[in-house]
């Protein structure tokens, strides 16, 4: 049986994002053993580069074998024991997922909620911390289901004041927006490879602070997951180099190359690029008479949510983008299904060329739906000129 040739899609959805040819080439290198001295050097380099992108000096900084959700599960399963209290911020799908996982682990989940499309309220978080004295506070930095950016400044200090650890989901921000683990006082931060790092899906970078590592040592019982037990995984990634599970060799090659690309560009320059392309995109959307879903001050640079105008068939328009323009964008999840589009400008996908392309493709596709709007390209252009 033959499968049709796969087109190189222009990936402007919520992930995966476009992968650089250098990363794809790295994946096709010969597979060597996971304890080969040459591979151990590669592991060291990956850890060093991950410390750079996380802006941390945490010793325990590694990629988990699995996607972003495995990073989420690793964070929670290592820190929570049955009966522990966890305060979890929920303002979208991924906050819900964290709460679901914590509950499955037997934790008592206290949720602090915000309306979808709004960030969490700091006072509500502090009230919950004061009242519940939880083991941890967990929340999503970049809520990919809504496009909301949660400000992280002061959260570490706040959590530590009540002796709670701070767990942050940076899946859609790491490599695209500032995530300064040490400066913000984050205890466990995890991400995924296929969003702003522009690597294929398959690994979940994660980092544990010394405070979080200490907690691992004071657990009353074994971590429920053997596969995600950081104290075992650490023995492979740390000095001992003892076998735990076979590292996904080709994925580690890919991650190393993707992280090298980040370092070559420079993290600050990469953040600025994401911000600029986001601003140009928004200027274009607004010039077209369309509306962003999230208020200006709470928008992500990596994932833009646009309200779908009345009378437009969401599925049909997205199918048109795919078949006519080879472009993928995302639809809304849960209560936002049919109400918003999710346009990712992540990693290698965050370019001026893509901004111009999606604005024009959207305008033409809306036209096909009977909605006539002016071009957004001049407005976007002005952002680049300024
Ligand atoms: C994509 C995403 C995840 C889950 O990652 P997977 O790679 O799909 O498992 C978790 N949190 C956020 C905020 C995400 O955007």
């Amino acid at each position: 049986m033959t499968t049709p040739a796969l087109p190189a899609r222009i990936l402007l959805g919520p992930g995966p994002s476009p992968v650089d040819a250098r990363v794809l080439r790295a994946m096709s290198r010969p597979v060597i053993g996971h304890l080969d001295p040459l591979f151990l050097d590669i592991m060291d380099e990956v850890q060093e580069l991950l410390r750079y992108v996380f802006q941390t000096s945490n010793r325990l900084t590694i990629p988990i074998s699995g996607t972003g959700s495995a990073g989420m599960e690793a964070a929670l399963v290592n820190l929570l024991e049955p009966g522990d209290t966890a305060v979890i911020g929920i303002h979208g799908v991924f906050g819900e997922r964290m709460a679901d996982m914590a509950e499955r682990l037997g934790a008592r989940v206290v949720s602090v909620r915000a309306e979808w499309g709004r960030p969490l309220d700091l006072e509500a978080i502090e009230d919950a911390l004061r009242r519940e004295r939880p083991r941890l506070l967990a929340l999503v930095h970049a809520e990919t289901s809504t496009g909301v950016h949660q400000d992280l400044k002061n959260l570490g200090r706040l959590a530590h004041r009540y002796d709670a650890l701070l767990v942050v989901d940076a899946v859609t921000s790491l490599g695209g927006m500032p995530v300064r683990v040490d400066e913000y006082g984050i205890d466990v931060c995890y991400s995924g490879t296929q969003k702003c790092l522009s690597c294929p899906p398959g690994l979940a970078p994660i980092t544990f602070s010394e405070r979080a590592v200490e907690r691992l040592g004071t657990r009353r019982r074994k971590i429920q997951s053997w596969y995600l037990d950081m104290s075992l995984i650490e023995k492979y990634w740390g000095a001992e180099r003892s076998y735990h599970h076979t590292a996904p060799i080709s994925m580690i090659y890919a991650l190393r190359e993707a992280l090298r690309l980040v370092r070559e560009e420079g993290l600050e320059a990469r953040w600025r690029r994401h911000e600029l392309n986001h601003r140009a995109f928004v200027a274009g959307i607004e010039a077209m008479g369309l509306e962003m879903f999230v208020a200006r001050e709470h928008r992500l640079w990596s994932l833009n949510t646009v309200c779908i105008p009345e009378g437009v068939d969401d599925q049909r328009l997205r199918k048109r983008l795919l078949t006519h323009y080879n472009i993928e964008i995302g639809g809304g999840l849960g209560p936002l299904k049919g109400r918003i589009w999710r346009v990712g400008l992540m990693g290698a996908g965050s370019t001026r060329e893509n901004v111009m392309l999606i604005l024009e493709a959207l305008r033409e596709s809306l036209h096909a739906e009977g909605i006539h709007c002016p071009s957004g390209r001049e407005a976007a252009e002005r952002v680049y000129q300024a």
Side-chain angles (χ1 to χ4, degrees), residues 14-15 66-72 93-95 97-98 140-145 169-173 190-195 201-204 303 342 346:
T67 63
S69 306
M72 186 187 286
V93 166
F94 295 102
R97 186 174 295 182
M98 284 212 255
V140 178
H141 180 214
E143 198 23 284
T144 321
S145 61
D169 176 317
V171 176
T172 293
S173 48
Y190 61 86
S191 190
T193 42
Q194 78 277 24
K195 312 244 171 142
L203 292 172
L303 195 279
R342 296 185 298 150
M346 299 182 189

Side-chain angles (χ1 to χ4, degrees), residues 2-310:
T2 57
T3 45
L6 294 174
R9 297 280 197 214
I10 300 164
L11 296 172
L12 304 181
S17 61
V19 177
D20 191 277
R22 262 176 59 183
V23 174
L24 293 175
R25 272 200 301 277
M27 290 182 86
S28 66
R29 307 286 307 236
V31 171
I32 61 176
H34 60 100
L35 294 171
D36 188 309
L38 291 174
F39 190 69
L40 300 181
D41 288 344
I42 292 175
M43 290 164 68
D44 287 343
E45 186 182 343
V46 165
Q47 287 179 279
E48 212 34 63
L49 287 165
L50 282 179
R51 289 187 189 103
Y52 168 63
V53 297
F54 275 123
Q55 298 279 286
T56 185
S57 56
N58 290 341
R59 191 178 42 82
L60 186 48
T61 304
I62 57 136
I64 296 277
S65 306
T67 63
S69 306
M72 186 187 286
E73 199 128 43
L76 298 175
V77 76
N78 280 277
L79 296 182
L80 290 173
E81 296 189 60
D84 284 349
T85 300
V87 169
I88 300 196
I90 302 178
H91 55 142
V93 166
F94 295 102
E96 301 273 13
R97 186 174 295 182
M98 284 212 255
D100 185 9
M101 281 185 189
E103 217 174 274
R104 285 163 190 252
L105 293 168
R108 193 174 71 88
V109 172
V110 176
S111 53
V112 175
R113 289 179 183 272
E115 198 185 319
W116 287 33
R118 303 264 321 142
L120 299 162
D121 177 47
L122 266 185
E123 277 177 36
I125 291 174
E126 178 154 22
D127 282 348
L129 292 174
R130 191 184 299 116
R131 201 176 58 237
E132 307 288 345
R133 301 286 166 156
R135 174 135 297 217
L136 61 81
L137 163 66
L139 44 77
V140 178
H141 180 214
E143 198 23 284
T144 321
S145 61
T146 62
V148 167
H149 171 238
Q150 181 69 40
D151 192 358
L152 296 177
K153 291 187 198 91
N154 304 318
L155 276 180
R157 219 173 316 135
L158 191 64
H160 298 154
R161 190 180 305 153
Y162 298 96
D163 203 27
L165 295 171
L166 175 62
V167 174
V168 170
D169 176 317
V171 176
T172 293
S173 48
L174 190 73
M177 302 183 71
V179 178
R180 304 178 192 272
V181 167
D182 288 357
E183 187 183 318
Y184 300 161
I186 302 172
D187 293 295
V188 178
C189 189
Y190 61 86
S191 190
T193 42
Q194 78 277 24
K195 312 244 171 142
C196 298
L197 296 177
S198 265
C199 186
L203 292 172
I206 195 166
T207 185
F208 279 65
S209 71
E210 281 312 312
R211 196 190 260 104
V213 171
E214 269 165 39
R215 279 283 171 95
L216 297 183
T218 62
R219 285 181 62 106
R220 300 180 298 276
R221 56 152 94 185
K222 274 187 175 180
I223 292 163
Q224 293 100 314
S225 167
W226 177 87
Y227 194 73
L228 297 174
D229 183 333
M230 288 305 290
S231 59
L232 299 178
I233 294 173
E234 189 190 9
K235 291 198 171 74
Y236 172 56
W237 283 88
E240 285 184 44
R241 307 292 194 182
S242 57
Y243 165 68
H244 177 251
H245 65 274
T246 310
I249 307 290
S250 310
M251 274 308 301
I252 303 281
Y253 296 163
L255 179 59
R256 177 174 69 156
E257 201 59 26
L259 293 172
R260 282 174 165 180
L261 283 163
V262 175
R263 191 187 47 195
E264 283 168 26
E265 179 175 12
L267 207 44
E268 304 262 351
R270 195 176 174 94
W271 296 338
R272 279 198 302 276
R273 170 165 64 81
H274 280 77
E275 182 182 18
L276 180 64
N277 290 317
H278 157 74
R279 283 180 35 231
F281 174 77
V282 171
I285 285 294
E286 289 177 345
M288 287 165 69
L290 300 175
E291 226 182 295
M292 294 295 288
F293 177 62
V294 176
R296 185 172 305 278
E297 64 275 23
H298 303 304
R299 289 176 194 154
L300 294 173
W301 302 339
S302 43
L303 195 279
N304 301 275
T305 44
V306 180
C307 299
I308 301 177
E310 201 80 30

